[in-house]
Amino acid sequence: MKNDIKKISVSKEKIEEILTKLGAQITKDYEGREPMFIGLLKGCNPFMVDLLKHVDLYCTLDYMDVSSYAGMKSTGNVRINHDLSTNVEGKDIIVVDDILDTGRTLNAVVQLLKARGAKSVSLCVLLDKPEGRVAPIEANYVGDLVPNEFVVGYGLDYNEKYRNLPYIGVLKEEVYSK
Ligand code: PRP
């Protein structure tokens, strides 16, 4: 699997630095509160699990699996494949995902959580691809910026594979043309 990678974009060491930095920021910003972390499947893994080890707060966690569509308006509905098991009403929510690209998915999720009565909703993403943005949304916590190229690993997939790479990398061209 690792032979399919052309170059490493975000190394294991860099990911560890990001986890430490974001964990400390969230710990400081949410001092005295008990936020609920909501991971968006499947890309939020392993980022969410590793990030939480760096958060020194009482907190809860839950997961959603959602899909957005290329033609969907930025404020449109999102299809929920798997919903939360807990109520978000009155809660301080931190949505965790691997990448913010067009922003359609996270924008729709934020609208949904607010409509369900969340007290506050902030976004934490490992990667931000600002060139891809279509929906009017930015993340509160960003690990690293990536250019507009297709990256895999550490949760990000190509045809559902490569999520288990311990770093973020760019695939060799021949992998796409197989
Ligand atoms: C990916 C990623 C984000 C979303 C980002 O999920 O995990 O949720 O796309 O793209 P956007 O900013 O253009 O909406 P995907 O739907 O591929 O599912 P996955 O998490 O199962 O890989």
Side-chain angles (χ1 to χ4, degrees), residues 41-43 68 97-105 157 163:
L41 296 168
K42 311 176 186 104
S68 68
D97 209 353
D98 52 355
I99 190 162
L100 176 59
D101 187 0
T102 67
R104 288 191 180 97
T105 310
D157 72 306
R163 294 189 197 272

Side-chain angles (χ1 to χ4, degrees), residues 12-172:
K12 275 165 76 170
E13 294 73 23
K14 175 73 181 171
I15 290 172
E16 194 53 43
E17 273 176 36
I18 288 169
L19 295 169
T20 303
K21 180 190 77 175
L22 294 182
Q25 281 177 0
I26 290 170
T27 300
K28 184 166 169 277
D29 292 351
Y30 284 81
E31 192 185 352
R33 290 188 280 172
E34 291 189 16
M36 178 193 285
F37 288 82
I38 294 180
L40 300 188
L41 296 168
K42 311 176 186 104
C44 69
N45 283 317
F47 177 48
M48 170 118 150
V49 174
D50 289 347
L51 175 69
L52 286 169
K53 295 173 195 166
H54 295 265
V55 173
D56 185 11
L57 294 168
Y58 295 109
C59 60
T60 56
L61 57 151
D62 206 342
Y63 294 91
M64 284 183 100
D65 182 6
V66 298
S67 305
S68 68
Y69 309 93
M72 194 177 75
K73 287 192 181 131
S74 58
T75 52
N77 293 322
V78 69
R79 186 177 71 203
I80 302 171
N81 305 316
H82 174 81
D83 208 343
L84 300 168
S85 60
T86 37
N87 188 349
V88 299
E89 211 175 329
K91 302 265 177 61
D92 290 309
I93 305 292
I94 302 172
V95 178
V96 179
D97 209 353
D98 52 355
I99 190 162
L100 176 59
D101 187 0
T102 67
R104 288 191 180 97
T105 310
L106 282 168
N107 192 48
V109 168
V110 170
Q111 308 292 331
L112 179 72
L113 295 173
K114 285 184 176 165
R116 288 181 177 182
K119 184 176 166 193
S120 69
V121 183
S122 67
L123 303 177
C124 177
V125 293
L126 175 65
L127 303 177
D128 186 3
K129 202 186 265 187
E131 289 169 55
R133 200 78 81 255
V134 173
I137 188 150
E138 295 304 330
N140 306 73
Y141 304 96
V142 174
D144 205 359
L145 300 176
V146 283
N148 207 5
E149 58 186 1
F150 194 76
V151 285
V152 296
Y154 202 68
L156 292 146
D157 72 306
Y158 170 61
N159 283 347
E160 292 297 327
K161 289 179 281 197
Y162 302 101
R163 294 189 197 272
N164 55 317
L165 271 178
Y167 46 75
I168 308 283
V170 179
L171 284 176
K172 291 175 183 167

